[in-house]
Amino acid sequence: MSTQPHTYAPGDPETALKYAIQHLEWDRVQIVEGIIQPLSPTWGHEKASPTWGHEKAITKIRRQVEPVADKLGCFAGSGNIDLPGTSNWYVPDLAIVPEDLSGEDALLPDQTLLVVEVTSDSNGDTDRVVKRRRYAEYGAPLYLLVDRRERSCTLFSDPGELGYMKADGPRPFGTPMHLPEPFELALDTSEF
């Protein structure tokens, strides 16, 4: 399933909203349950930039997962994720996706192999509750939640309309997190 670039559609608020955020002068913007969230400060916007601890966790994960992703014909990135039929447009901290989908403006959650969100003080509950529910509803096969406040990781799998049916964790930082097929990788969480 592939998404097409959104074009302005009078009378269709979802498409119009998603079209509008793609044409703002902000570098990165997501919509969570209808609320527009700039992810990088511009225009003097007061949104806080990610902390170095947040960026470190993402970098540590990316470095461990990329060699496996390369072997699978995939890449690690932080592009647009569309949830059609909702006012949601996510930009995950990290996602592993097939290289042949790199030309798309946005992907659907079920086109990913793994989605990673690292919590921040300002949006931790969004990652813990809202995004977890929505990623499952839209079929993201694996959702890794790195909870910096709780200092733990949880891997959610077996998605369905009511949420993820399986959870491995929470596991305290320092405890390896097993990423199942197609990764078969023990993720080192000691430096998160």
Tab-separated table of all heavy atoms in Angstrom, residues 3 12 18 24 36 38 41 44 46 58 64 71 96-97 101-102 109 122 125 139 143 145 152 164 167 173 182 186 192:
chain	number	residue	atom	x	y	z
A	3	THR	N	1.160	5.625	-0.282
A	3	THR	CA	0.442	6.890	-0.224
A	3	THR	C	0.915	7.759	-1.364
A	3	THR	O	2.041	7.659	-1.825
A	3	THR	CB	0.679	7.626	1.105
A	3	THR	OG1	2.064	7.904	1.214
A	3	THR	CG2	0.194	6.813	2.274
A	12	ASP	N	-12.338	18.394	1.842
A	12	ASP	CA	-11.720	17.235	2.489
A	12	ASP	C	-10.705	17.746	3.504
A	12	ASP	O	-9.534	17.959	3.185
A	12	ASP	CB	-11.033	16.352	1.447
A	12	ASP	CG	-10.371	15.115	2.056
A	12	ASP	OD1	-10.437	14.919	3.284
A	12	ASP	OD2	-9.771	14.344	1.287
A	18	LYS	N	-3.112	17.895	5.746
A	18	LYS	CA	-1.850	17.216	5.456
A	18	LYS	C	-1.099	17.904	4.318
A	18	LYS	O	0.134	17.977	4.334
A	18	LYS	CB	-2.099	15.738	5.170
A	18	LYS	CG	-2.534	14.994	6.430
A	18	LYS	CD	-2.906	13.563	6.168
A	18	LYS	CE	-3.359	12.888	7.463
A	18	LYS	NZ	-3.755	11.500	7.255
A	24	LEU	N	4.477	24.146	4.790
A	24	LEU	CA	4.871	25.165	5.757
A	24	LEU	C	6.373	25.396	5.650
A	24	LEU	O	7.104	24.552	5.142
A	24	LEU	CB	4.529	24.711	7.183
A	24	LEU	CG	3.056	24.623	7.537
A	24	LEU	CD1	2.881	23.993	8.919
A	24	LEU	CD2	2.414	25.999	7.519
A	36	ILE	N	-1.098	20.258	15.391
A	36	ILE	CA	0.125	20.453	14.626
A	36	ILE	C	1.274	20.689	15.594
A	36	ILE	O	1.192	21.538	16.468
A	36	ILE	CB	-0.015	21.627	13.647
A	36	ILE	CG1	-1.128	21.332	12.630
A	36	ILE	CG2	1.313	21.896	12.940
A	36	ILE	CD1	-1.468	22.491	11.733
A	38	PRO	N	5.300	21.461	15.451
A	38	PRO	CA	6.599	21.671	14.789
A	38	PRO	C	7.665	20.895	15.539
A	38	PRO	O	7.687	20.889	16.767
A	38	PRO	CB	6.832	23.176	14.920
A	38	PRO	CG	5.533	23.758	15.350
A	38	PRO	CD	4.759	22.679	16.021
A	41	PRO	N	12.642	24.224	15.731
A	41	PRO	CA	12.283	25.620	15.955
A	41	PRO	C	12.570	26.491	14.734
A	41	PRO	O	13.654	26.432	14.175
A	41	PRO	CB	13.162	26.024	17.133
A	41	PRO	CG	14.310	25.087	17.088
A	41	PRO	CD	13.819	23.816	16.469
A	44	GLY	N	10.965	31.751	15.231
A	44	GLY	CA	10.932	32.140	16.628
A	44	GLY	C	9.986	31.288	17.449
A	44	GLY	O	9.633	31.620	18.567
A	46	GLU	N	8.615	28.580	19.946
A	46	GLU	CA	9.193	28.223	21.231
A	46	GLU	C	9.357	26.718	21.438
A	46	GLU	O	9.729	26.285	22.506
A	46	GLU	CB	8.340	28.805	22.370
A	46	GLU	CG	8.262	30.313	22.335
A	46	GLU	CD	9.620	30.993	22.394
A	46	GLU	OE1	10.479	30.545	23.179
A	46	GLU	OE2	9.833	31.963	21.655
A	58	ILE	N	18.826	7.844	19.905
A	58	ILE	CA	18.490	7.557	18.505
A	58	ILE	C	19.741	7.132	17.729
A	58	ILE	O	19.717	6.165	16.962
A	58	ILE	CB	17.826	8.779	17.850
A	58	ILE	CG1	16.494	9.091	18.535
A	58	ILE	CG2	17.622	8.552	16.350
A	58	ILE	CD1	15.954	10.471	18.231
A	64	GLN	N	23.374	0.510	15.547
A	64	GLN	CA	23.265	-0.940	15.736
A	64	GLN	C	22.375	-1.593	14.691
A	64	GLN	O	22.622	-2.721	14.274
A	64	GLN	CB	22.717	-1.254	17.137
A	64	GLN	CG	23.659	-0.860	18.259
A	64	GLN	CD	23.048	-1.148	19.605
A	64	GLN	OE1	22.866	-2.308	19.964
A	64	GLN	NE2	22.721	-0.097	20.348
A	71	LYS	N	21.634	-5.197	5.007
A	71	LYS	CA	21.549	-6.575	4.503
A	71	LYS	C	20.132	-6.915	4.044
A	71	LYS	O	19.944	-7.752	3.167
A	71	LYS	CB	22.003	-7.568	5.575
A	71	LYS	CG	23.476	-7.528	5.846
A	71	LYS	CD	23.856	-8.505	6.938
A	71	LYS	CE	25.332	-8.356	7.285
A	71	LYS	NZ	25.720	-9.186	8.427
A	96	ILE	N	12.750	1.924	10.136
A	96	ILE	CA	13.465	1.092	9.176
A	96	ILE	C	12.459	0.747	8.084
A	96	ILE	O	11.389	0.183	8.365
A	96	ILE	CB	14.020	-0.198	9.822
A	96	ILE	CG1	14.843	0.115	11.067
A	96	ILE	CG2	14.816	-1.005	8.799
A	96	ILE	CD1	16.027	1.025	10.855
A	97	VAL	N	12.802	1.114	6.837
A	97	VAL	CA	11.881	0.931	5.714
A	97	VAL	C	12.630	0.373	4.507
A	97	VAL	O	13.833	0.593	4.366
A	97	VAL	CB	11.184	2.265	5.339
A	97	VAL	CG1	10.379	2.804	6.518
A	97	VAL	CG2	12.159	3.301	4.868
A	101	LEU	N	11.036	1.990	-1.306
A	101	LEU	CA	9.996	2.965	-0.981
A	101	LEU	C	10.562	4.358	-0.719
A	101	LEU	O	9.831	5.269	-0.334
A	101	LEU	CB	9.197	2.503	0.239
A	101	LEU	CG	8.451	1.184	0.088
A	101	LEU	CD1	7.771	0.798	1.392
A	101	LEU	CD2	7.442	1.262	-1.044
A	102	SER	N	11.861	4.533	-0.971
A	102	SER	CA	12.509	5.804	-0.641
A	102	SER	C	12.008	6.976	-1.483
A	102	SER	O	12.203	8.121	-1.098
A	102	SER	CB	14.031	5.675	-0.782
A	102	SER	OG	14.385	5.429	-2.132
A	109	PRO	N	2.290	3.075	8.217
A	109	PRO	CA	2.971	2.296	9.257
A	109	PRO	C	3.237	0.844	8.865
A	109	PRO	O	4.283	0.299	9.216
A	109	PRO	CB	2.015	2.403	10.451
A	109	PRO	CG	1.359	3.731	10.268
A	109	PRO	CD	1.151	3.833	8.775
A	122	SER	N	8.460	16.683	26.989
A	122	SER	CA	7.294	17.404	26.469
A	122	SER	C	6.255	16.513	25.802
A	122	SER	O	5.108	16.918	25.645
A	122	SER	CB	7.743	18.476	25.475
A	122	SER	OG	8.368	17.874	24.356
A	125	ASP	N	3.943	11.074	26.937
A	125	ASP	CA	2.660	10.363	26.919
A	125	ASP	C	2.153	10.147	25.499
A	125	ASP	O	1.485	9.153	25.225
A	125	ASP	CB	1.623	11.099	27.763
A	125	ASP	CG	1.904	10.953	29.260
A	125	ASP	OD1	2.581	9.978	29.653
A	125	ASP	OD2	1.440	11.813	30.026
A	139	GLY	N	-0.847	-1.123	11.611
A	139	GLY	CA	-0.065	-2.287	11.216
A	139	GLY	C	1.442	-2.185	11.254
A	139	GLY	O	2.116	-3.009	10.630
A	143	TYR	N	7.196	-1.819	17.208
A	143	TYR	CA	7.276	-0.464	17.749
A	143	TYR	C	8.150	-0.504	18.983
A	143	TYR	O	7.820	-1.142	19.976
A	143	TYR	CB	5.880	0.064	18.090
A	143	TYR	CG	5.875	1.420	18.762
A	143	TYR	CD1	6.551	2.499	18.204
A	143	TYR	CD2	5.187	1.626	19.942
A	143	TYR	CE1	6.532	3.750	18.806
A	143	TYR	CE2	5.158	2.875	20.561
A	143	TYR	CZ	5.844	3.928	19.986
A	143	TYR	OH	5.832	5.167	20.583
A	145	LEU	N	9.654	1.505	21.983
A	145	LEU	CA	9.494	2.696	22.808
A	145	LEU	C	10.685	2.783	23.752
A	145	LEU	O	10.891	1.896	24.587
A	145	LEU	CB	8.191	2.629	23.609
A	145	LEU	CG	7.966	3.777	24.594
A	145	LEU	CD1	7.775	5.098	23.854
A	145	LEU	CD2	6.767	3.478	25.479
A	152	SER	N	13.766	2.872	30.455
A	152	SER	CA	13.457	1.512	30.020
A	152	SER	C	13.089	1.493	28.539
A	152	SER	O	12.795	2.524	27.946
A	152	SER	CB	12.298	0.937	30.837
A	152	SER	OG	11.108	1.635	30.557
A	164	TYR	N	-1.272	-3.366	20.262
A	164	TYR	CA	-0.300	-4.450	20.129
A	164	TYR	C	-0.667	-5.572	21.085
A	164	TYR	O	-1.011	-5.333	22.238
A	164	TYR	CB	1.116	-3.943	20.419
A	164	TYR	CG	1.674	-3.137	19.273
A	164	TYR	CD1	1.706	-1.750	19.342
A	164	TYR	CD2	2.162	-3.753	18.135
A	164	TYR	CE1	2.210	-1.006	18.284
A	164	TYR	CE2	2.667	-3.021	17.080
A	164	TYR	CZ	2.690	-1.652	17.160
A	164	TYR	OH	3.187	-0.922	16.106
A	167	ALA	N	4.059	-7.453	24.219
A	167	ALA	CA	5.006	-6.441	24.689
A	167	ALA	C	6.171	-7.142	25.371
A	167	ALA	O	5.967	-7.979	26.243
A	167	ALA	CB	4.328	-5.483	25.659
A	173	PHE	N	17.214	0.155	31.081
A	173	PHE	CA	18.408	0.447	30.289
A	173	PHE	C	19.551	-0.392	30.816
A	173	PHE	O	19.713	-0.563	32.027
A	173	PHE	CB	18.779	1.920	30.377
A	173	PHE	CG	17.862	2.860	29.626
A	173	PHE	CD1	18.033	4.224	29.740
A	173	PHE	CD2	16.852	2.395	28.801
A	173	PHE	CE1	17.213	5.110	29.067
A	173	PHE	CE2	16.023	3.265	28.120
A	173	PHE	CZ	16.206	4.637	28.248
A	182	PRO	N	12.746	-9.522	11.120
A	182	PRO	CA	13.880	-9.962	10.307
A	182	PRO	C	15.232	-9.504	10.844
A	182	PRO	O	16.259	-9.753	10.225
A	182	PRO	CB	13.602	-9.296	8.963
A	182	PRO	CG	12.946	-8.009	9.325
A	182	PRO	CD	12.110	-8.318	10.544
A	186	ALA	N	20.375	-8.346	19.177
A	186	ALA	CA	20.291	-7.978	20.576
A	186	ALA	C	20.754	-6.528	20.695
A	186	ALA	O	21.943	-6.239	20.570
A	186	ALA	CB	21.146	-8.889	21.436
A	192	PHE	N	21.840	4.391	26.576
A	192	PHE	CA	20.682	5.252	26.314
A	192	PHE	C	20.539	6.258	27.430
A	192	PHE	O	19.997	7.271	27.345
A	192	PHE	CB	19.398	4.449	26.188
A	192	PHE	CG	19.330	3.558	24.961
A	192	PHE	CD1	20.359	3.505	24.052
A	192	PHE	CD2	18.223	2.772	24.739
A	192	PHE	CE1	20.279	2.686	22.935
A	192	PHE	CE2	18.130	1.957	23.633
A	192	PHE	CZ	19.157	1.902	22.736
